[in-house]
Amino acid sequence: MAVLRSDPPLDRDSAVPMFEQIKERLERAIAAGEFAVHERIPSERELSTQYGVSRMTIRQALGALARSGALYARSGKGTFVAELKIEQPLQRLTSFTEDMRARGLRPSSRLLAAERIGAPLEIADALGLSPGAELVRISRLRLADDEPLALEIAQLPHARCPGILSYDLGRRSLYEVLHAEYGISLARARQTIEAATPDDDERALLHLPHGVPVLRIRRLTHASDGAPIEFVRSAYRGDRYQLGVELR
Ligand code: 16G
């Protein structure tokens, strides 16, 4: 427990509740790297002795840190430091490849399926096609530093990118292929995001611990000529991903 020893004593007269002060100290210790990712932090009992507060207060601090995603608990084993979440800023239209590289992570994909299908009604509607028009559907598991992060199913009008399935979409960025091979630049997208319980396939492919939700994202992207070009459904790991929005 060398970690917190240098801390000055808690301020018992402060308006900031004790659990909040403890939470902030633990946050600082984690940010300073005093605990490694997936390292066990001291137990409730040890922390309550160290700070001279009740275990209830410690439990409140740890609970708040678990809810913010900084810690996770394993029943019977203790409380551990979680990996930092990857933040996707929502104001720019970027690809998975760009998002990961911007964070110093190595993007990769596992191609799960790539096929030509007739457009179901809902997707034909979104893409401005007649029902049954030919689509390419590309399902990929997206990884960052070899860790599964998202499942993505992208559907594009085949007429806009004929023969796209012959490119190695397990290795290349879809946006890069659209640009380099078809001269398609993407201009804007509309996205919806919701929290959801993963289904069994998602849980297995994303290596999701039990009880962790996914962020379901739907994106309709338009090319620079205004035409809709991709309709994507994805599921991002809720414990590893957060979306940042700038408000003015
Ligand atoms: C992002 C997009 C997805 C797009 C993909 C292309 C979200 C929610 N989705 O993951 O719509 O198809 O990037 O990535 O951001 P790529 O160019 O690396 O293949």
Side-chain angles (χ1 to χ4, degrees), residues 49-232:
T49 311
Q50 165 146 5
Y51 285 118
V53 297
S54 71
R55 284 178 66 165
M56 191 59 200
T57 302
I58 297 295
R59 206 167 297 151
Q60 259 183 304
L62 298 184
L65 286 166
R67 279 190 300 279
S68 74
L71 296 177
Y72 65 95
R74 282 269 172 278
S75 62
K77 297 217 171 71
T79 303
F80 300 82
V81 175
E83 271 171 286
L84 279 182
K85 288 194 173 184
I86 295 168
E87 180 169 310
Q88 184 194 354
L90 285 180
Q91 45 280 5
R92 282 194 57 231
L93 173 54
T94 49
S95 70
F96 183 87
T97 303
E98 291 171 307
D99 282 346
M100 295 310 124
R101 288 202 180 127
R103 275 155 200 80
L105 300 171
R106 192 173 49 79
S108 60
S109 305
R110 207 170 99 207
L111 191 62
L112 302 172
E115 60 218 325
R116 282 168 31 182
I117 58 162
L121 195 60
E122 182 206 359
I123 295 168
D125 240 23
L127 289 171
L129 304 171
S130 22
E134 198 174 33
L135 295 181
V136 286
R137 181 165 64 191
I138 303 158
S139 309
R140 292 179 297 171
L141 181 68
R142 314 299 312 258
L143 305 96
D145 281 355
D146 298 324
E147 188 198 9
L149 198 63
L151 261 172
E152 262 176 13
I153 304 175
Q155 313 200 53
L156 300 89
H158 189 229
R160 285 300 302 267
C161 47
I164 193 167
L165 296 184
S166 62
Y167 297 104
D168 186 354
L169 294 164
R171 282 183 201 284
R172 286 177 71 179
S173 149
L174 174 63
Y175 285 5
E176 182 268 319
V177 169
L178 287 174
H179 190 255
E181 311 293 346
Y182 299 94
I184 296 176
S185 304
L186 303 170
R188 66 188 171 89
R190 188 181 145 71
Q191 208 164 273
T192 61
I193 302 152
E194 61 187 318
T197 303
D199 62 30
D200 291 346
D201 287 346
E202 289 170 336
R203 197 173 284 127
L205 284 163
L206 292 171
H207 299 174
L208 274 179
H210 220 81
V212 173
V214 288
L215 289 171
R216 274 197 211 295
I217 307 183
R218 285 159 161 252
R219 180 188 280 194
L220 179 67
T221 313
H222 295 258
S224 48
D225 63 5
I229 188 81
E230 66 156 10
F231 180 79
V232 184

Side-chain angles (χ1 to χ4, degrees), residues 2-63:
V3 51
L4 305 161
R5 220 163 269 155
S6 55
D7 269 357
L10 296 172
D11 181 356
R12 288 175 193 269
D13 299 323
S14 163
V16 181
M18 298 295 266
F19 88 87
E20 193 68 46
Q21 294 184 44
I22 294 169
K23 172 180 168 258
E24 280 166 14
R25 281 161 197 236
L26 286 167
E27 265 168 349
R28 274 201 302 274
I30 293 167
E34 293 182 47
F35 294 111
V37 170
H38 301 309
E39 184 179 335
R40 193 177 72 82
I41 63 155
S43 67
E44 270 176 30
R45 192 170 42 76
E46 288 166 319
L47 289 169
S48 85
T49 311
Q50 165 146 5
Y51 285 118
V53 297
S54 71
R55 284 178 66 165
M56 191 59 200
T57 302
I58 297 295
R59 206 167 297 151
Q60 259 183 304
L62 298 184

